[in-house]
Amino acid sequence: MTVLVLDLLSWAAILGGLFFMLTGTVGVLRMPDLFTRLHAAGITDTAGAGLLIAGMCLQAGSGLLVLRLLLVYGFLFFTSPIAAHALARAGLAGGAEPVGPSRRRGPGPRQGAR
Amino acid sequence: MDDCPILRVGAKIMIPTILLFGLYVQFHGEYGPGGGFQAGVIVTSAFILYALIYGLDSTRRVIPPFVPRAAAVLGVLIFAGTGLASLLAGGRFLDYDVFAGSPQKGQHWGIFTVELGVFVAVFGVMLGVFYAFVGRGRPQ
Amino acid sequence: MSADLALPLALAVPLAAAALVGLAGRRPNLREGLTLAGSGLLAAVVMGSLLPAVLAGERPEWTLLETMPALALRLRLEPLGMIFATVAALLWPVNSLYSVGYMRGNREGHQTRFYVFFALALSAAMGVALAGNLLTLFVFYEALTLSTYPLVTHRGTPEAMRAGRVYLGVLLATSIGLFLLAIAWTWAVAGTLAFAEGGILRGRLGGGAVGVLLALYIFGIGKAALMPLHRWLPAAMVAPVPVSALLHAVAVVKAGVFAIVKVLVYVFGLDLLRSEPSARWLLYVAGFTTITASVIALRTLQRGGNLKRMLAYSTVSQLSYVVLAAAILAPLSAVGAALHIVAHAFGKITLFFAAGSIYTAAGKTEIGELAGIGRRMPWTMGAFAVGALSMIGLPPAAGFVSKWYILLAAFEAEALVAVVVLAASTLLNAAYFVPIVYTAFFADGPARAGAPPASSAAAHGEAPWPIVLATSATAALTLAFFVWPELPLALALQLAGGSG
Amino acid sequence: MREHLPVLQVVLPLVAALLAALTRRPGRAWALALTAAWLVLAIAIGLLLQVLGEGVTSYHLGGWEPPYGIEYRVDLLNAFVLLIVSAMAAAVVPFARTSVAREIAPERIPLFYSALLLCLAGLLGIAVTGDLFNVFVFLEISSLSAYSLVALGSDRRALTAAYRYLIMGSVGATFVMIAIGLLYAMTGTLNMMDLAARLPAVAATRTVPVAFAFLTVGVGLKLALFPLHLWLPNAYTYAPSAVSAFIASTATKVAIYMLLRFFFTVFGAAFSFDVMQLDWILTPLALFAIVLASLAALHQEDGKRLLAYSSVAQIGYIVLGISLASVLGVAAGILHVFNHALMKGALFMTMGCVMYAVGSVKVSAMAGLGRLMPLTMAAFVAAGLSLVGVPLTVGFISKWYLVQAALERGAWPLALAVLLGSVIAAAYVWKVVEAAYFRPPPAGSETREAPLGLLVPTWALVAANLYFGIDARWTAGMAVRAAEAVLGVGR
Amino acid sequence: MRLLGLYNYWIVVGLMMIGFYTMISRGNLVKKLIGLTVFQTSAMILYISVGKVRGGTAPILLDRADVLYSNPLPSVLILTAIVVGVATLAVGLALVVRIHEAYGTIEEDDIHVQDDAP
Amino acid sequence: MFAVAAVGILVSMTLALARAFLGPTVYDRILAANTFGTKTVVLLAAIGFLTGRPDWIDLSLIYALINFIGTIAALKLFEFGTLAHTRGRDRE
Amino acid sequence: METAIDVTLLALLGLTGIALLRVYNLVTAAMLLAIYSLLCASLFTTLDAVDVAFTEAAVGAGVSTVLLLGTLALVGREEKRPLKRQALPLIMVVVTGAALVYGIADIPPFGAPDNPAQQHVAPVYLQESEAATGIPNVVTSVLTSYRGYDTLGEVTVIFTAAVGVLLLLATGRGRGRGPDDG
């Protein structure tokens, strides 16, 4: 019984996680500029990975394993926003321009950053 | 990135965790993936992260440049010394059986010291190489 | 002194002389004295100790060292080697005497270097003469090449350097590329390199391989100046006269023909060569070289060209006599070959000495300038005439004896080619030597030729006394050989007896 | 301790390298290197005697039986190669003291000796091991240290030369690695003897020949076998003098050893030469190497570069000997390994002397050196004669054997080619000799003879050239016995 | 079918060749090293593929008896090979840095031009 | 269930890879690499469960860590042109 | 299932490789190389070589990337586009590749348990190593004990690399502070 419930729960978590991950990635692919892509990527890293790992936690069975899974998540939880933050800063400093209502494509002013 | 509090705070939390994780990898290597080499790399990357965020000079203050060099030598020496010790104890080179009463125990100790040697050497080498690269061409 | 011990001594004396001369470089008189003393000592060793022993039928031996398994550096003296050694040992003192006069008379530079390498070359030549196996022969052959190079390029002018490069290039290339290969092949076939009576290849090699191996030897021994590998010899004419004398008479080309005769007699064995049609080509190449070189010499004369150049081609032609003689492959012809080595040595050294004498005294090098010079320098040109006679092969000079034996052998072996070649070349030789002698004595001097400035023409008389003395001595030797040929003949007949 | 000689042979220089990296005083590092090099030589001699006395020595590292553990296996061939390598090291290290002091900044010298010792340890490790993958590991140790040693040359082209060496060397090493992987996939073992026993069963597949080809190409790259030699000339030219002398006389030699080991021990002569028709590939390559590289050497204006091309040609001789696949041919190859090490070591050392005294090794810069540096140039002449193959020098001995081996096969064109190479060698050696002896020194030149610290090792090698040229019974006998051992003939 | 079963190897060969090609066709010294790394890494996959047993698991022993393990030996070898690779890369990059300091460029063509000029 | 997860993650990895190829700026590529790394972390965890040996979660951990350091290093390179230099003075 | 993951990863690897070949920005190449390493590591995991995966991730994606970036900081980030395409490299690659393909066609089937590699030496490790060393991770016990000498060589290799890098790059600054002889 509990097994079934656990299974169902983890199915739900994993499917949810996958959903976030896929949409996030699609966002990364489809969004127009760096900053919006960053936003999409954030979803992948936090919600997507979080739910997936949660699903795994439910299947883990041993405490140590759960602990390590949580550690992984904690790690992602820390590093991902920091990296995103740094990326945004660097991008801004390096000249990647946000795309406003008038959508402008192509590389930023920093020539040759391709 | 030194003036970015988010990074600095994040690093402050992460670096000890990484070091701890490195030690875990070092000692858990007999039961799971990992070992001296991986642990050495992980611990080095903690210091690389430190250098990236707090600057090379700060890192050099934490670990002076002669330390990596000495550690590299020391690590290999531990390894080779283990081998030589096994010679002196009457076995073949790197034959750990002779280190303790039973071969199994001897192997355990031998592998332990050897992994330690690998760890120290890798740490020293990687950090030394990092210093050498990053220290090159500095504006000062 | 035991003859066995005299063998290494014959090598060591010139070496020691070289060392001492080098040390005494600062004091010319001491230096030249040492050279003369060394040469005299060598002559004494060879004539006094070795010659009687060999004549008595001994074959002195001495092992220098063993280099590879079953391959040693050994000395072993037999009649042919004895002949060569005697010639070299006899002519070195004379040449030294001449050198003193020549080098001082012409104020040549680097005299110490000259004497040192001269002595080294002599040591190497002795080694060639005494060699007991092919390896030893090869070693000293190369040593001879290397030690004579500084002599050839003595003047250091660009022309001399170019000549030196040709000299070294031809000799090294042929010896390493072909001679060594031939030696290696011999070793592979026979398993030994030691010279032995009757040859070491008999019964082990046959068919076309004999001809090929023979070619490797003949052309590998570039010092014999067989066409087409003769170029180095005229090129080396840039060297001072004593060096030319060394090259032509004492050591170098003699080492070449000596090595060829030695190989024919002691490696192949005349029997093997006689029985093998593939070896017949040698006769033709030798004959061709004889005639062609004579023709070139004649053309040099007609153009009034360089005297030494003409003499060089004369040497090429004369050397081929030796090869030709050996190629007749009769026992008697080997005698002729051996004798011709001696005869040509005496005659040619006389000619060169005379040429050098003319250069020293009158500063002339071209044939066209020689008209009337015989009256100013009677001794020199007299000697020249004797040498010319020997070259042509007329009595009372040495050349007659050797040519006689060669001709005899040719008839005996019914080698018609050889007879024809001998006859033709005798005529050619006469055609280019007689006019020189004639104009030197009987034509009018510079007055009619008109070209050279009067001052130099009038000023010169005979050359310095050491030169005249040496030239006369060799001329006398040439004549003496005709009168008393017994000694070389005895040795040569031993050779024939041994191989026959 | 006697039974541990094989492993001490490698570990000793390794430990010395570690200690040398710690010290900061050039003198101490040098003393360490010297001690290590001479001890290593002593061990090599001991090992050779041991092998001569007791036959093949096998040492199980870690006490594990092969093929489960790594085995050190010393037969006459490796014992001989070990002797060559350690003898050259023992000669180069004394030379290095003075030479390196002039060419390398003092603060780098301790690390320089460390790298040199590591290179030595790597080379010895390759030569002594009986395990395929262990070969790869030690190959990398020696190569990596060699790259950095080459890069220490004072000319900036040393850097590009080292880079090219690194790229080509790594390609070679990776090829070797791929080949080892394929062999492992086919047999499941890495031990050479075990492999030799298990390979015939799978020799008919397509994989083994391909592994063979990769191994040959990979080792050929390290060996500078003719078309794969492109890294060598610059590396030898611009490396510090002591490094040129060391690498030229050891690194390619060990590669030759690998080739012999793979061809004859692992794959077996029957497979290598009958199935793979190796001789049809190696012989032409060797001939090209001999002729073309010699000709290239003739056109060089830089003394070290000239010698470098000459090395390519000499490697051609060695490979030619191997490609004959007979006892005499392989013996000739082994003999030339020894002899070439002696002569090239000596020649590069004289170049080091010239570099020290003149600051350049251009042929034009050597004008008149015969008078200014008589001892150095006399050494060059003596070793040069050896290179040409003049009798009474070692060069003659190996060429003699090579020609004999060719004639034994009836391949007299090969013999002719060997001698042709000698003739060209005479020409390029002459080029230097002529500059040194027959051209006047530049006016006002203050060049002096090189110091004793350089001359003594140089002349020691020259003396060895002459000694083993005059009395070649020992070396030739060793080479023949080693060839018999590796071919599995006789004894 | 048998050849299809070797899909792992085929792709590995392709990867190796990509690396090899990058290495020998590119003039940029860093790019060459990147190619070398790809080349070496791909060769490592070859080894690991050899050691894989279908249905097996990593050779870290479990308490159960009926487990099929993959081959540990290729892993051991490749651990060493990875280290070799990074060591080569480090030395190569150090060389590149020095070359850049000496020549001001890391393009092979430009270096050749500078070297050929006297 | 982990198979599904793995497949989903693989798909999303492919998409991220596409962004890495497309760029256009180097920041986009770094972003792509970073997010790619995150997915790898999760993929590894999934594979661990899939093969029945979830203990290798350590692998995921190290991936996450390495990924972070790589990103920071790349960014630092772009912001300062060197990995060593820091704005102002180094702090303790 | 594993096969599917395997194939996908290999395909991604191929894509990354091609991308690596085609980009001219070196930082991008470095990032792609990091991705390549991560993919390799994932592949190693699916091929049951977890230790290798661990190391590859740490070294390939970590240290190598940092070193590459550190170098790029010093030498510039753009690659010059080649002016002409040479045929020789392509020929070499095709020949090498063809040889490999030819050779691999006869290699024992992928993953079969009865391959020689699985039959000869490895079983001994799997069966006996735990008893001999008391360590369940066979890779570790083989690495440090059976083939411990290789590992000593491996450590020496990186030590050599350190010596090489220091020889080439050490600036002399900050090196005088240490004790004289360590």
Side-chain angles (χ1 to χ4, degrees):
Chain A
M1 184 61 201
T2 38
V3 175
L4 187 67
V5 171
L6 272 181
D7 271 3
L8 279 176
L9 276 177
S10 53
W11 264 114
I14 282 174
L15 285 179
L18 273 182
F19 171 76
F20 281 118
M21 183 159 275
L22 279 169
T23 45
T25 319
V26 169
V28 168
L29 197 60
R30 298 280 303 150
M31 287 293 184
D33 68 356
L34 177 68
F35 303 100
T36 44
R37 286 178 199 141
L38 263 176
H39 167 75
I43 292 180
T44 314
D45 293 346
T46 48
L51 279 174
L52 277 165
I53 286 177
M56 292 175 198
C57 281
L58 295 175
Q59 293 288 320
S62 98
L64 193 63
L65 194 57
V66 172
L67 187 71
R68 282 189 280 173
L69 274 170
L70 288 179
L71 201 60
V72 170
Y73 182 66
F75 224 90
L76 284 181
F77 190 76
F78 261 110
T79 60
S80 181
I82 294 175
H85 168 79
L87 197 56
R89 265 172 51 97
L92 209 54
E97 277 180 28
V99 178
S102 61
R103 189 175 143 156
R104 195 168 61 102
R105 290 223 60 154
R110 197 189 179 88
Q111 281 301 311
R114 212 168 228 283
Chain B
M1 308 207 173
D2 52 325
D3 56 346
C4 170
I6 294 181
L7 276 177
R8 296 173 73 85
V9 171
K12 256 186 190 144
I13 301 171
M14 282 188 66
I15 287 170
T17 326
I18 296 173
L19 288 176
L20 210 62
F21 178 55
L23 290 181
Y24 163 79
V25 169
Q26 166 77 23
F27 295 110
H28 192 64
E30 298 178 2
Y31 308 101
F37 189 88
Q38 293 89 336
V41 175
I42 290 171
V43 171
T44 312
S45 42
F47 289 102
I48 291 179
L49 186 61
Y50 188 88
L52 289 176
I53 288 171
Y54 293 93
L56 186 64
D57 284 337
S58 310
T59 323
R60 280 200 171 140
R61 240 166 283 141
V62 176
I63 300 183
F66 73 86
V67 170
R69 187 163 159 174
V73 172
L74 183 70
V76 189
L77 262 183
I78 291 175
F79 204 139
T82 313
L84 291 175
S86 65
L87 281 193
L88 294 178
R92 298 279 159 162
F93 191 74
L94 290 176
D95 185 352
Y96 314 128
D97 288 357
V98 292
F99 284 144
S102 77
Q104 211 191 47
K105 241 182 197 154
Q107 288 286 342
H108 187 80
W109 279 110
I111 290 175
F112 179 80
T113 41
V114 161
E115 288 272 24
L116 188 70
V118 174
F119 168 78
V120 175
V122 170
F123 167 71
V125 169
M126 292 298 173
L127 199 60
V129 169
F130 176 77
Y131 275 0
F133 269 93
V134 176
R136 191 83 181 176
R138 283 157 58 87
Q140 48 200 114
Chain C
M1 180 170 39
S2 123
D4 285 350
L5 213 68
L7 281 182
L9 205 60
L11 293 183
V13 167
L15 270 184
L20 289 174
V21 168
L23 288 176
R26 295 281 165 74
R27 299 162 65 191
N29 287 333
L30 177 61
R31 180 183 69 196
E32 265 95 304
L34 280 169
T35 301
L36 285 171
S39 62
L41 188 59
L42 177 65
V45 168
V46 171
M47 313 283 278
S49 171
L50 291 175
L51 191 57
V54 175
L55 278 175
E58 273 184 57
R59 297 289 178 264
E61 278 189 17
W62 196 68
T63 302
L64 218 52
L65 31 90
E66 200 162 319
T67 51
M68 272 180 271
L71 202 54
L73 282 189
R74 282 166 64 90
L75 301 178
R76 182 171 181 275
L77 190 58
E78 40 67 61
L80 188 60
M82 192 64 237
I83 290 177
F84 182 35
T86 314
V87 169
L90 202 60
L91 292 183
W92 189 26
V94 186
N95 200 332
S96 301
L97 185 66
Y98 184 88
S99 305
V100 173
Y102 184 90
M103 299 305 277
R104 293 191 172 182
N106 287 306
R107 295 191 184 78
E108 296 274 354
H110 304 301
Q111 294 200 15
T112 307
R113 189 175 82 189
F114 174 84
Y115 288 112
V116 168
F117 279 102
F118 210 104
L120 286 178
L122 247 295
S123 179
M126 293 313 289
V128 172
L130 307 184
N133 61 29
L134 275 170
L135 181 71
T136 319
L137 181 72
F138 183 75
V139 169
F140 286 109
Y141 182 95
E142 294 293 8
L144 186 57
T145 310
L146 294 175
S147 58
T148 45
Y149 173 84
L151 298 173
V152 171
T153 58
H154 184 79
R155 296 225 165 98
T157 57
E159 192 197 357
M161 300 311 289
R162 214 175 309 125
R165 226 172 281 151
V166 173
Y167 178 78
L168 207 62
V170 172
L171 291 187
L172 275 186
T174 51
S175 65
I176 295 177
L178 305 174
F179 192 16
L180 189 56
L181 181 59
I183 294 175
W185 191 351
T186 308
W187 167 266
V189 172
T192 173
L193 292 177
F195 296 120
E197 266 86 22
I200 52 177
L201 288 172
R202 191 165 49 181
R204 294 199 173 97
L205 197 66
V210 175
V212 176
L213 182 56
L214 185 65
L216 286 180
Y217 272 119
I218 299 297
F219 294 112
I221 302 174
K223 286 200 173 87
L226 219 59
M227 282 185 178
L229 297 174
H230 65 286
R231 299 287 313 208
W232 62 270
L233 192 52
M237 281 302 104
V238 296
V241 169
V243 175
S244 298
L246 172 81
L247 295 182
H248 289 256
V250 183
V252 177
V253 294
K254 290 296 168 304
V257 286
F258 166 75
I260 286 187
V261 175
K262 194 128 185 176
V263 163
L264 292 181
V265 175
Y266 291 117
V267 174
F268 285 96
L270 296 181
D271 293 338
L272 171 67
L273 291 172
R274 250 199 308 271
S275 66
E276 199 50 71
S278 66
R280 300 303 299 175
W281 59 267
L282 181 57
L283 198 59
Y284 299 97
V285 170
F288 173 80
T289 306
T290 309
I291 301 292
T292 318
S294 298
V295 169
I296 296 176
L298 187 58
R299 288 181 55 101
T300 313
L301 171 79
Q302 284 165 348
R303 292 210 203 96
N306 187 300
L307 178 60
K308 281 172 72 185
R309 179 177 153 85
M310 193 197 86
L311 291 179
Y313 275 103
S314 160
T315 301
V316 175
S317 148
Q318 296 282 330
L319 290 176
S320 297
Y321 276 177
V322 180
V323 180
L324 184 77
I328 292 171
L329 301 174
L332 207 54
S333 75
V335 174
L339 286 181
H340 199 67
I341 290 179
V342 185
H344 176 251
F346 291 165
K348 195 45 72 56
I349 200 170
T350 310
L351 289 171
F352 270 107
F353 279 1
S357 172
I358 294 168
Y359 174 70
T360 312
K364 287 171 180 164
T365 56
E366 304 303 295
I367 300 169
E369 305 168 344
L370 296 182
I373 204 163
R375 274 166 288 177
R376 276 182 231 280
M377 309 176 66
W379 286 100
T380 302
M381 287 317 288
F384 189 93
V386 171
L389 284 182
S390 183
M391 288 301 116
I392 303 167
L394 291 178
F400 174 75
V401 182
S402 53
K403 268 199 189 173
W404 179 255
Y405 275 96
I406 298 175
L407 209 56
L408 220 57
F411 276 119
E412 194 183 81
E414 295 174 357
L416 205 59
V417 189
V419 175
V420 170
V421 166
L422 278 173
S425 78
T426 303
L427 287 178
L428 283 167
N429 287 351
Y432 62 78
F433 274 118
V434 170
I436 296 180
V437 178
Y438 178 82
T439 49
F441 281 107
F442 304 113
D444 274 337
R448 198 180 289 173
S455 60
S456 77
H460 78 83
E462 263 302 355
W465 68 265
I467 294 187
V468 176
L469 185 61
T471 316
S472 309
T474 54
L477 276 174
T478 314
L479 295 174
F481 184 91
F482 177 77
V483 184
W484 297 289
E486 288 84 2
L487 184 73
L489 200 57
L491 285 170
L493 287 172
Q494 271 197 21
L495 167 73
S499 70
Chain D
M1 267 297 141
R2 267 192 75 224
E3 82 253 36
H4 296 303
L5 286 182
V7 72
L8 286 177
Q9 179 92 75
V10 183
V11 172
L12 200 80
L14 177 60
V15 172
L18 297 173
L19 299 178
L22 271 184
T23 173
R24 280 170 202 281
R25 287 197 196 149
R28 281 191 198 176
W30 177 76
L32 259 171
L34 190 72
T35 318
W38 285 6
L39 275 176
V40 161
L41 178 61
I43 294 174
I45 293 172
L47 205 52
L48 184 64
L49 293 177
Q50 196 175 326
V51 172
L52 281 172
E54 298 157 23
V56 179
T57 303
S58 172
Y59 186 88
H60 302 166
L61 286 154
W64 300 106
E65 288 289 312
Y68 309 109
I70 292 171
E71 180 195 14
Y72 267 4
R73 195 180 164 78
V74 189
D75 63 8
L76 213 51
L77 177 62
N78 0 22
F80 195 50
V81 172
L82 288 172
L83 180 71
I84 295 171
V85 172
S86 45
M88 291 316 296
V92 168
V93 171
F95 178 86
R97 182 184 172 93
T98 318
S99 172
V100 161
R102 165 90 31 126
E103 292 178 33
I104 295 174
E107 74 268 13
R108 289 200 172 143
I109 289 179
L111 282 178
F112 167 85
Y113 283 113
S114 181
L116 195 71
L117 286 168
L118 284 170
C119 192
L120 176 64
L123 293 171
L124 293 170
I126 298 171
V128 80
T129 189
D131 188 277
L132 221 45
F133 200 80
N134 203 240
V135 168
F136 171 73
V137 174
F138 279 86
L139 184 66
E140 282 297 337
I141 294 176
S142 67
S143 307
L144 274 177
S145 45
Y147 307 147
S148 27
L149 285 173
V150 167
L152 286 177
S154 42
D155 193 301
R156 66 176 179 177
R157 274 170 289 185
L159 297 168
T160 41
Y163 183 86
R164 172 175 268 197
Y165 186 12
L166 180 137
I167 289 291
M168 295 189 74
S170 302
V171 171
T174 312
F175 270 42
V176 169
M177 188 179 118
I178 291 170
I180 295 173
L182 292 177
L183 288 178
Y184 178 72
M186 297 310 288
T187 61
T189 183
L190 294 167
N191 184 284
M192 289 186 193
M193 298 314 288
D194 196 24
L195 205 58
R198 296 173 69 87
L199 265 178
V202 290
T205 57
R206 292 194 273 182
T207 311
V208 175
V210 168
F212 181 84
F214 270 76
L215 214 50
T216 309
V217 173
V219 179
L221 271 163
K222 292 279 175 193
L223 180 67
L225 185 62
F226 170 62
L228 309 173
H229 69 281
L230 294 172
W231 57 267
L232 186 143
N234 276 346
Y236 283 13
T237 308
Y238 299 114
S241 307
V243 175
S244 301
F246 181 69
I247 295 185
S249 53
T250 54
T252 47
K253 309 296 171 285
V254 171
I256 295 273
Y257 161 78
M258 284 162 64
L259 213 57
L260 283 169
R261 204 32 110 205
F262 292 151
F263 286 169
F264 295 110
T265 304
V266 175
F267 288 98
F271 179 81
S272 302
F273 289 91
D274 298 342
V275 180
M276 293 302 290
Q277 304 282 323
L278 192 63
D279 39 351
W280 285 101
I281 302 160
L282 285 189
T283 310
L285 290 185
L287 287 181
F288 277 126
I290 292 171
V291 176
L292 294 182
S294 295
L295 287 176
L298 200 53
H299 286 98
Q300 300 308 320
E301 292 303 327
D302 182 298
K304 279 169 86 178
R305 211 175 161 78
L306 184 150
L307 292 180
Y309 273 106
S310 153
S311 280
V312 178
Q314 302 293 320
I315 290 161
Y317 288 120
I318 299 171
V319 173
L320 187 66
I322 296 171
S323 76
L324 292 170
S326 61
V327 170
L328 209 51
V330 174
I334 296 170
L335 199 57
H336 201 51
V337 166
F338 181 80
N339 293 343
H340 182 233
L342 285 184
M343 55 177 119
K344 261 308 149 43
L347 284 171
F348 272 111
M349 280 187 184
T350 60
M351 286 297 134
C353 296
V354 172
M355 191 74 179
Y356 184 91
V358 185
S360 162
V361 287
K362 290 248 182 287
V363 174
S364 55
M366 289 186 223
L369 284 191
R371 200 155 322 133
L372 299 171
M373 305 175 67
L375 289 173
T376 303
M377 290 323 287
F380 182 89
V381 170
L385 288 177
S386 188
L387 191 63
V388 175
V390 170
L392 301 190
T393 59
V394 287
F396 174 75
I397 307 291
S398 35
K399 279 183 191 154
W400 178 260
Y401 269 83
L402 200 52
V403 168
Q404 288 304 327
L407 290 176
E408 183 192 56
R409 280 287 170 102
W412 61 267
L414 296 185
L416 197 62
V418 167
L419 296 170
L420 179 69
S422 285
V423 172
I424 310 176
Y428 59 69
V429 169
W430 188 254
K431 201 170 165 171
V432 176
V433 171
E434 190 179 325
Y437 284 95
F438 299 101
R439 272 187 232 158
S445 166
E446 290 182 5
T447 305
R448 299 263 178 79
E449 182 56 271
L452 277 183
L454 299 180
L455 282 176
V456 170
T458 311
W459 271 98
L461 277 189
V462 170
N465 261 300
L466 298 177
Y467 177 75
F468 290 111
I470 288 169
D471 184 358
R473 280 170 297 182
W474 185 79
T475 44
M478 279 301 300
V480 170
R481 286 182 64 186
E484 282 170 349
V486 76
L487 283 168
V489 192
R491 284 163 257 268
Chain E
M1 213 43 230
R2 186 186 129 66
L3 292 186
L4 205 61
L6 297 170
Y7 61 90
N8 225 334
Y9 296 112
W10 302 134
I11 298 177
V12 166
V13 171
L15 289 174
M16 278 198 258
M17 290 311 113
I18 288 174
F20 192 36
Y21 183 72
T22 313
M23 187 171 175
I24 59 180
S25 70
R26 288 310 184 78
N28 185 292
L29 302 185
V30 174
K31 198 58 177 286
K32 272 178 183 293
L33 287 175
I34 291 176
L36 175 64
T37 309
V38 172
F39 187 30
Q40 284 178 333
T41 313
S42 316
M44 293 170 198
I45 306 179
L46 174 77
Y47 271 74
I48 298 297
S49 304
V50 169
K52 166 75 180 171
V53 175
R54 211 182 289 266
T57 181
I60 298 172
L61 301 182
L62 298 169
D63 293 334
R64 288 172 282 146
D66 57 335
V67 191
L68 194 57
Y69 296 105
S70 282
N71 192 337
L73 192 50
S75 300
V76 172
L77 303 181
I78 289 316
L79 280 174
T80 307
I82 289 176
V83 176
V84 167
V86 73
T88 312
L89 183 71
V91 174
L93 288 176
L95 273 171
V96 171
V97 169
R98 286 289 304 278
I99 288 175
H100 185 261
E101 287 172 4
Y103 288 83
T105 175
I106 51 165
E107 295 289 336
E108 225 172 23
D109 305 344
D110 300 346
I111 291 171
H112 282 314
V113 170
Q114 288 192 33
D115 270 348
D116 292 341
Chain F
M1 127 173 57
F2 297 109
V4 176
V7 169
I9 296 165
L10 276 172
V11 170
S12 95
M13 277 167 87
T14 317
L15 296 178
L17 203 57
R19 174 46 72 200
F21 297 159
L22 292 175
T25 67
V26 79
Y27 301 104
D28 293 295
R29 296 182 206 272
I30 296 173
L31 165 69
N34 186 35
T35 182
F36 188 87
T38 311
K39 292 177 213 323
T40 316
V41 171
V42 186
L43 175 72
L44 279 176
I47 290 177
F49 278 93
L50 193 61
T51 54
R53 312 222 27 192
D55 322 66
W56 308 330
I57 208 74
D58 305 347
L59 276 172
S60 305
L61 256 168
I62 194 169
Y63 278 37
L65 160 69
I66 290 301
N67 195 26
F68 178 65
I69 290 177
T71 309
I72 296 292
L75 291 174
K76 179 139 194 197
L77 172 67
F78 268 90
E79 199 165 347
F80 300 103
T82 161
L83 297 189
H85 182 65
T86 47
R87 197 175 296 156
R89 238 198 257 130
D90 282 350
R91 310 221 182 124
E92 56 289 319
Chain G
M1 190 56 227
E2 280 177 56
T3 309
I5 296 175
D6 201 26
V7 171
T8 319
L9 285 173
L10 280 168
L12 292 182
L13 269 174
L15 283 176
T16 316
I18 292 167
L20 257 174
L21 188 59
R22 295 182 54 87
V23 297
Y24 288 91
N25 182 295
L26 292 172
V27 178
T28 309
M31 296 321 292
L32 283 176
L33 192 64
I35 291 179
Y36 190 89
S37 277
L38 282 178
L39 281 169
C40 267
S42 314
L43 189 66
F44 290 149
T45 317
T46 62
L47 293 177
D48 298 338
V50 274
D51 280 277
V52 179
F54 209 142
T55 315
E56 175 64 30
V59 169
V63 176
S64 293
T65 310
V66 171
L67 286 184
L68 260 174
L69 292 173
T71 307
L72 293 179
L74 300 174
V75 302
R77 301 162 205 161
E78 275 305 308
E79 183 186 357
K80 212 169 82 177
R81 278 158 202 268
L83 298 172
K84 55 184 191 303
R85 203 172 289 265
Q86 305 125 315
L88 187 66
L90 200 61
I91 294 170
M92 280 168 67
V93 167
V94 168
V95 169
T96 317
L100 267 179
V101 167
Y102 174 86
I104 278 177
D106 265 2
I107 213 166
F110 173 68
D114 54 352
N115 285 345
Q118 269 64 265
Q119 291 299 315
H120 183 39
V121 174
V124 176
Y125 293 145
L126 290 170
Q127 286 149 24
E128 295 177 6
S129 75
E130 190 166 18
T133 63
I135 290 176
N137 186 346
V138 185
V139 175
T140 301
S141 64
V142 174
L143 187 76
T144 50
S145 189
Y146 289 89
R147 297 188 70 88
Y149 191 69
D150 257 358
T151 310
L152 175 61
E154 161 194 330
V155 177
T156 313
V157 167
I158 51 161
F159 178 73
T160 310
V163 168
V165 169
L166 286 180
L167 266 175
L168 287 165
L169 294 185
T171 48
R173 219 178 60 86
R175 296 174 69 210
R177 267 184 277 163
D180 187 354
D181 270 17

